[in-house]
């Protein structure tokens, strides 16, 4: 019941936000992106070696990367830096919305590209996607709400390979998103 209420409140806030928001959205392919906001699900130990490899790869390609993760714990041991932070339950309000100072921090920063590599749905990360100041938002379709400008739908891949959504590796999702961002060309 609590999850349904959280989803109802979130969906209501999304509709209101999208109705009032004026956003300069545009498709940004990988080559043109200079600043990237990477969203991820942190592992319980908060070490995140695969995420750190992805960050290093993006940085090696000349991208300025900011990474925000989420872990379902009350306390975390990782320090928060402007370019890397892990949110936890203490960073959220009653309906899993991040506290206002975090939302304001997101709004103040501008990104060319948001890449959400979380494979599970977390309302906290959905709020980050909703409020992030990014020209192009990419991730995996997880809800009926259209949060992304570019959404990868892996439902047929999951069925074909008999994989449960919770077992999907986010490195696979990252490779899929990157493949499309590198190969789609625009005329701008």
């Amino acid at each position: 019941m609590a999850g349904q209420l959280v989803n109802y409140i979130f969906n209501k806030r999304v509709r209101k936000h999208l109705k009032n928001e004026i956003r300069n959205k545009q498709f940004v392919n990988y080559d043109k992106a200079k600043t990237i906001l990477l969203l991820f699900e942190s592992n319980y130990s908060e070490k995140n070696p695969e995420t750190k490899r992805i960050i290093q790869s993006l940085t090696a390609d000349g991208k300025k990367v900011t990474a925000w993760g989420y872990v379902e714990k009350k306390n975390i041991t990782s320090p928060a830096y402007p370019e890397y932070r892990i949110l936890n339950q203490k960073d959220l309000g009653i309906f899993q919305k991040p506290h206002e100072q975090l939302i304001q921090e997101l709004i103040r920063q501008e990104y060319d590209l948001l890449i959400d590599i979380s494979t599970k749905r977390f309302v906290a990360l959905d709020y980050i996607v909703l409020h992030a100041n990014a020209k192009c938002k990419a991730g995996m379709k997880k809800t009926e709400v259209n949060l992304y400008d570019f959404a990868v739908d892996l439902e047929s891949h999951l069925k074909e390979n008999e994989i449960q959504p919770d077992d999907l590796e986010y490195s696979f999702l990252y490779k899929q998103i990157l493949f499309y961002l590198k190969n789609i060309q625009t005329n701008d």
Side-chain angles (χ1 to χ4, degrees):
M1 178 66 181
Q4 289 176 329
L5 180 60
V6 167
N7 285 329
Y8 173 77
I9 298 291
F10 174 75
N11 289 337
K12 191 172 179 176
R13 288 178 175 169
V14 167
R15 284 191 299 278
K16 182 179 178 186
H17 181 82
L18 293 177
K19 186 174 151 184
N20 297 326
E21 178 194 39
I22 298 170
R23 186 173 148 243
N24 179 21
K25 62 180 169 179
Q26 62 190 57
F27 181 79
V28 178
N29 70 13
Y30 186 76
D31 291 336
K32 293 188 176 157
K34 295 187 182 354
T35 56
I36 296 176
L37 175 59
L38 183 72
L39 301 182
F40 65 97
E41 174 191 354
S42 175
N43 58 22
Y44 202 76
S45 69
E46 302 169 33
K47 300 284 187 234
N48 305 305
E50 185 63 28
T51 302
K52 290 179 180 173
R53 277 192 285 279
I54 290 170
I55 293 168
Q56 288 172 342
S57 169
L58 292 168
T59 304
D61 284 348
K63 314 298 182 193
K64 182 177 185 262
V65 181
T66 301
W68 284 33
Y70 175 72
V71 64
E72 285 193 286
K73 291 179 14 179
K74 289 187 180 185
N75 295 305
I76 59 170
T77 56
S78 300
Y81 300 104
E83 69 282 347
Y84 183 88
R85 73 173 50 204
I86 297 174
L87 304 177
N88 64 348
Q89 293 170 346
K90 285 186 177 179
D91 295 313
L92 310 177
I94 189 166
F95 296 110
Q96 297 183 10
K97 182 179 180 186
H99 294 305
E100 193 58 32
Q101 72 267 18
L102 294 171
I103 298 295
Q104 289 304 315
E105 186 177 328
L106 270 175
I107 293 170
R108 282 192 300 272
Q109 298 297 316
E110 188 173 317
Y111 302 98
D112 294 323
L113 188 57
L114 176 148
I115 301 174
D116 181 358
I117 58 171
S118 62
T119 58
K120 298 177 191 156
R121 179 163 188 242
F122 296 101
V123 174
L125 288 180
D126 288 347
Y127 276 111
I128 301 296
V129 173
L130 180 66
H131 291 287
N133 187 6
K135 292 176 188 168
C136 183
K137 300 176 181 182
M140 183 175 110
K141 181 178 168 97
K142 294 176 243 168
T143 67
E144 295 306 312
V145 179
N146 251 346
L147 294 176
Y148 304 109
D149 304 314
F150 178 77
V152 176
D153 188 352
L154 296 176
E155 192 171 318
S156 61
H157 170 77
L158 297 175
K159 285 180 185 174
E160 227 174 74
N161 295 296
E162 297 179 6
I163 300 171
Q164 295 299 315
D166 289 350
D167 296 330
L168 182 65
E169 294 286 327
Y170 66 79
S171 59
F172 175 78
L173 173 60
Y174 170 72
K175 289 174 187 169
Q176 292 297 304
I177 292 171
L178 208 59
F179 172 80
Y180 288 108
L181 291 175
K182 285 183 175 182
N183 287 299
I184 294 175
Q185 300 299 319
T186 59
N187 296 327
D188 50 347

